[in-house]
Amino acid sequence: MDAQGRGRADNIDPADQWVLNPNTGEYELRLAAPGAQSSVPRPRRGTPAGSAQGGTRTAPGRGEPAPDVLPGQRRRRGAPPEPPGRRRGRTKPKKGRAKKILLWTGGSMAFVLVAVTAAGYFYLQHLEGNVSTTDVGDAAKNGFSKDEAFNILIIGTDKRTGKGNEGYGDAGSVGHADTNILLHVSKDRTNATALSIPRDLIVNVPDCPTKQPDGTTKVIPGTQNVRFNTSLGQDGRDPGCTMRTVKEITGGIEPDHFMMLDFNAVKTLTTAVGGVDVCLKHAVNDPKSHLKLPAGPSKIEGEQALAFVRTRHAWGNQGDLDRIKVQQQFMASLMRKMASSDTLTNPSKLLDLAEAATKALTVDTGLHKVSTLKDVALELKKVPTKNITFLTVPVVDNPADGPVHKTVIVDPNMAPEVFDAIKNDVSFTTVKKKEKAAKTAASDPLKGSRSAASDVRVDIYNGGAPAGSAQATLSWLQNDEGVTKSSQLGNAGKTLSKTTLEYSPDQADQARKLADIMGLPASALKPGKSEKNDQGLPAIVLTLGQDFQGPGTPLTAPTKAPDVPNRSTADKVQCAS
């Protein structure tokens, strides 16, 4: 007999068998009978999956075992009343602590909440059907790793599709990359960085292979010195073109996936949560965006929320950079609202949020599977809001504009430091020193003595470095550093973004010596196995990646992020000005 059948046999309403686990903050199916085993979560008959009677229960996610103390069970309709004096009290379940959920724009945020707090498997399948998918080929990864740092490119388009959006300016827009955030989540999940990319940033858009409706691939030629927002929509470019452009301007940061949203996301999501709290330093009455708000705190939703994030003329110097700062403040507030107990304990809000978000969301094929989306959600919720940093690509005015500044270019002095910090997984916030130190120490696989340079046996491959790098490194190691037992074996079988050094356990001291000589960070060291060199002896495998800058140039990762102006964290309340 299933769980519902057992409930009916005991005159128990099946909805009362969903129990809140205070350790996880999620509802789980528990049977009152001693020794009964929990089953796969099932919604009640006649009740939509992901909801429950009573207004406070939701279909559970799988979590830790529920506590031994169960809420009192409700008498089933039609069952005889209990004798006087035997009325069962209901034990109020303890509230789980508010979940720390990393949510950036409407689409990704709502899905995270639903995936980890509200919906069961069947409802997630329904949500998956809401999500649109674009195949961007090798611009995105096929899957998702829970053990690595990851980058997701969030794109807000200016396409005017959807009810009520036709009246906005530029009604014929093909959907450019109007709002862009590169979300980097650290490997240890202690921190994350949301890097805004200005739409008016002058860039070189590379050639872009795009999948056509008939299954063929069309390469759209790149363009030089154009606005970043033209990396999407223009000439038929898809989100994969925007991902490739991000890699181009950041010096090699590769977005693993993308999430794209439209105007409806802001309107429907803010309405679903009952409004978002914002703060203004001065009153606003902008006839172009139709935003009218008083100074001080306000709660906005729907059309008013969209006007808030769209307006430029109400903030600062009326440019895109000031609008970006206000959008970051808005997103931090939306994130706090969605992670609040008011939202997490309200099944109606959660379901509305899920429907609104997924209908407005487009992702790459690597994210479309429900199991993959769930994995992403579970990793995102580990990040504390105080360690979520919002910042913008450092830029300077474009000298080509003349006296009237309309566009910007990457700041050649500050931007590379920001990009390097993200590439090397360095936090822009202060994480717990003891915890971070322990993890840093654990990530260094080589400790102890060092071999002499003359003892190091190494085979060198080119895995993406400039042509001739392997031969140049061989000459430098042999002639300048005394690593005479080295060989150059041409190109590697694949291209690597970063230089690696693979070694067997008995060659750990040799690997550390070579890492010291070359200035390689601990992350480049890969415990594994060696290979036989041309003399039949075990040799370390050195593969020069795309980050290789030449023999003698250290690749040691930065340990501290640069101080970037106007950065903020998601836990701080700020007022737009």
Side-chain angles (χ1 to χ4, degrees):
M1 185 181 295
D2 65 15
Q4 290 182 328
R6 296 187 191 202
R8 289 188 169 83
D10 294 333
N11 287 332
I12 297 171
D13 190 325
D16 281 322
Q17 296 176 346
W18 293 113
V19 180
L20 181 68
N21 183 338
N23 296 320
T24 64
E26 300 176 5
Y27 283 93
E28 300 169 355
L29 181 62
R30 289 291 301 275
L31 301 178
Q37 296 179 347
S38 61
S39 63
V40 177
R42 289 179 62 177
R44 297 181 61 199
R45 291 176 184 171
T47 303
S51 66
Q53 266 191 338
T56 58
R57 297 180 181 85
T58 61
R62 297 177 182 174
E64 300 175 13
D68 292 333
V69 179
L70 301 179
Q73 293 174 323
R74 183 170 55 201
R75 180 169 54 88
R76 179 174 168 238
R77 292 190 185 92
E82 296 180 0
R86 294 189 59 190
R87 184 177 181 181
R88 299 179 188 177
R90 176 167 296 184
T91 303
K92 186 177 180 180
K94 297 180 181 179
K95 289 184 178 180
R97 57 185 176 180
K99 293 181 179 298
K100 300 171 181 176
I101 301 175
L102 172 62
L103 305 163
W104 297 100
T105 63
S108 59
M109 189 177 300
F111 184 82
V112 169
L113 283 162
V114 169
V116 298
T117 66
Y121 175 77
F122 292 107
Y123 192 66
L124 289 181
Q125 290 282 48
H126 162 71
L127 294 180
E128 181 178 304
N130 287 345
V131 179
S132 299
T133 305
T134 297
D135 185 353
V136 295
D138 61 3
K141 290 186 176 179
N142 292 327
F144 173 74
S145 172
K146 294 184 285 185
D147 301 320
E148 299 294 335
F150 62 91
N151 303 312
I152 295 180
L153 181 62
I154 310 296
I155 306 172
T157 75
D158 60 359
K159 197 169 186 178
R160 270 62 171 171
T161 54
K163 184 179 179 181
N165 296 328
E166 314 84 16
Y168 296 120
D170 194 17
S173 174
V174 293
H176 293 117
D178 193 56
T179 299
N180 309 278
I181 299 175
L182 178 62
L183 167 61
H184 171 82
V185 181
S186 69
K187 182 176 181 179
D188 60 12
R189 307 301 187 248
T190 63
N191 65 92
T193 301
L195 180 69
S196 293
I197 303 173
R199 67 175 189 178
D200 294 328
L201 178 68
I202 296 300
V203 299
N204 295 330
V205 178
D207 292 348
C208 179
T210 59
K211 294 294 182 72
Q212 301 300 303
D214 61 0
T216 61
T217 297
K218 176 184 177 181
V219 177
I220 300 175
T223 51
Q224 310 296 306
N225 298 317
V226 293
R227 282 178 167 86
F228 180 86
N229 66 345
T230 62
S231 64
L232 176 68
Q234 196 79 14
D235 302 322
R237 293 185 177 121
D238 64 17
C241 302
T242 308
M243 297 171 75
R244 296 176 195 274
T245 305
V246 168
K247 180 180 178 181
E248 179 91 4
I249 66 175
T250 60
I253 300 178
E254 296 188 69
D256 301 311
H257 301 283
F258 81 87
M259 292 181 176
M260 185 168 67
L261 304 113
D262 57 22
F263 280 5
N264 282 338
V266 176
K267 295 194 292 186
T268 57
L269 289 168
T270 53
T271 300
V273 298
V276 174
D277 296 318
V278 296
C279 176
L280 280 70
K281 289 187 177 180
H282 58 81
V284 169
N285 186 1
D286 180 12
K288 292 189 176 182
S289 66
H290 306 293
L291 178 66
K292 186 176 182 179
L293 288 174
S298 294
K299 180 173 288 187
I300 58 176
E301 63 179 82
E303 294 286 350
Q304 195 174 39
L306 180 60
F308 185 86
V309 297
R310 288 187 64 241
T311 184
R312 287 181 301 146
H313 301 282
W315 320 124
N317 62 8
Q318 303 185 14
D320 193 47
L321 295 180
D322 287 307
R323 181 174 68 164
I324 285 175
K325 288 188 291 185
V326 174
Q327 288 175 340
Q328 291 172 346
Q329 294 164 11
F330 173 84
M331 287 186 287
S333 180
L334 180 59
M335 182 192 70
R336 292 192 298 269
K337 181 62 178 286
M338 289 184 169
S340 69
S341 58
D342 179 57
T343 301
L344 291 174
T345 59
N346 189 321
S348 177
K349 282 186 179 180
L350 288 173
L351 296 178
D352 289 346
L353 200 53
E355 293 291 344
T358 52
K359 287 178 181 177
L361 184 64
T362 300
V363 299
D364 58 88
T365 53
L367 283 186
H368 189 254
K369 288 185 178 179
V370 65
S371 58
T372 306
L373 287 169
K374 179 182 178 182
D375 287 342
V376 173
L378 293 174
E379 295 306 305
L380 290 175
K381 82 182 186 77
K382 297 177 182 178
V383 182
T385 54
K386 66 179 181 179
N387 291 337
I388 300 168
T389 303
F390 289 96
L391 53 95
T392 303
V393 172
V395 296
V396 294
D397 290 332
N398 182 10
D401 286 342
V404 180
H405 301 300
K406 297 177 293 185
T407 59
V408 293
I409 60 174
V410 170
D411 184 336
N413 298 314
M414 183 175 291
E417 295 183 61
V418 172
F419 301 151
D420 285 346
I422 294 175
K423 280 189 287 188
N424 291 286
D425 205 21
V426 178
S427 176
F428 283 83
T429 58
T430 302
V431 297
K432 291 181 180 180
K433 292 184 178 180
K434 290 183 179 180
E435 178 184 2
K436 191 69 175 179
K439 291 184 178 181
T440 300
S443 68
D444 186 351
L446 302 175
K447 300 176 178 67
S449 62
R450 307 286 200 268
S451 290
S454 59
D455 294 331
V456 176
R457 292 189 299 272
V458 57
D459 287 348
I460 307 166
Y461 294 87
N462 190 329
S469 293
Q471 182 59 47
T473 300
L474 175 68
S475 299
W476 175 71
L477 288 175
Q478 290 183 339
N479 300 326
D480 297 349
E481 300 297 331
V483 185
T484 56
K485 299 176 182 178
S486 49
S487 304
Q488 189 271 112
L489 299 179
N491 294 329
K494 59 181 180 180
T495 299
L496 301 179
S497 61
K498 295 185 178 182
T499 297
T500 63
L501 191 62
E502 187 174 3
Y503 60 93
S504 59
D506 60 338
Q507 289 184 307
D509 57 339
Q510 293 185 33
R512 169 50 74 194
K513 180 62 180 180
L514 185 58
D516 286 346
I517 292 172
M518 299 206 50
L520 298 178
S523 60
L525 303 168
K526 306 295 181 184
K529 61 182 180 180
S530 56
E531 67 178 19
K532 296 292 181 65
N533 64 8
D534 51 8
Q535 297 177 338
L537 299 173
I540 300 168
V541 179
L542 172 64
T543 305
L544 306 178
Q546 293 174 325
D547 63 341
F548 184 72
Q549 301 175 25
T553 303
L555 294 177
T556 305
T559 58
K560 184 179 180 180
D563 186 15
V564 181
N566 298 317
R567 69 181 180 182
S568 61
T569 52
D571 62 326
K572 303 297 183 184
V573 177
Q574 295 180 296
C575 292
S577 60

